[in-house]
Amino acid sequence: MQITAISLTVLSPQPLDSARFYTQHFGFTPSLELDWFVSLQHPAHPALHLDLLRQGHAAAGQHLQGQQTTGVMLALVTEDVTAEAQRLTRAGLSLLMPVTEEPWGQKRFQVQGPDGVVVELLEFTTPDPAWLAQQAENAAAVP
């Protein structure tokens, strides 16, 4: 199988509102806009699509009828998480999780889109050597 593109489809109560959120705050651009479906791409990653489908629309198929998006996190890797957190806060977004440095080598924060998707912005950092050593000990102790 040869995959030519990858798409994540999010069920949204208002696809056009969700699209505005991703275009305004994260630089996505619409490649297709209908009142019930919007396909977004990011200029830096044209083979990846973030699609927004109106909840309850027949295009979702029978299994997803009556469902809403839950438990989805969209991670966006950036070079300066602190600056992005400040920018989004100035734009009026509330942080679900403040900028946090993780011992496994990430600095990250989270916001939430109007469709319920948690958007995590992260940058890679150097993992804490003590934390890495503890992980190695834990792995060695597992039979």
Side-chain angles (χ1 to χ4, degrees):
M1 174 174 72
Q2 182 175 349
I3 296 173
T4 59
I6 294 176
S7 170
L8 168 69
T9 301
V10 171
L11 300 176
S12 173
Q14 297 293 329
L16 295 172
D17 291 345
S18 292
R20 270 191 294 282
F21 173 79
Y22 295 106
T23 58
Q24 178 181 355
H25 298 298
F26 304 108
F28 285 85
T29 57
S31 58
L32 175 65
E33 266 185 310
L34 304 170
D35 67 339
W36 57 272
F37 179 82
V38 179
S39 186
L40 301 174
Q41 292 175 286
H42 194 278
H45 304 281
L48 299 175
H49 302 261
L50 175 59
D51 295 336
L52 307 162
L53 175 62
R54 182 178 307 281
Q55 292 171 351
H57 194 277
Q62 190 70 347
H63 180 72
L64 293 175
Q65 290 303 308
Q67 296 204 24
Q68 58 185 345
T69 297
T70 61
V72 174
M73 180 168 58
L74 174 64
L76 304 174
V77 179
T78 186
E79 294 181 3
D80 190 347
V81 160
T82 301
E84 292 300 323
Q86 291 168 348
R87 178 182 69 81
L88 293 173
T89 300
R90 281 192 306 271
L93 297 184
S94 298
L95 303 186
L96 292 177
M97 181 180 87
V99 175
T100 305
E101 291 205 38
E102 304 291 2
W104 53 81
Q106 289 181 348
K107 187 175 181 181
R108 63 193 183 119
F109 72 93
Q110 297 174 344
V111 296
Q112 189 166 28
D115 45 31
V117 172
V118 172
V119 180
E120 178 171 276
L121 279 83
L122 66 98
E123 73 179 83
F124 295 113
T125 61
T126 303
D128 180 312
W131 182 86
L132 286 174
Q134 183 63 49
Q135 297 307 301
E137 286 176 30
N138 293 346
V142 175

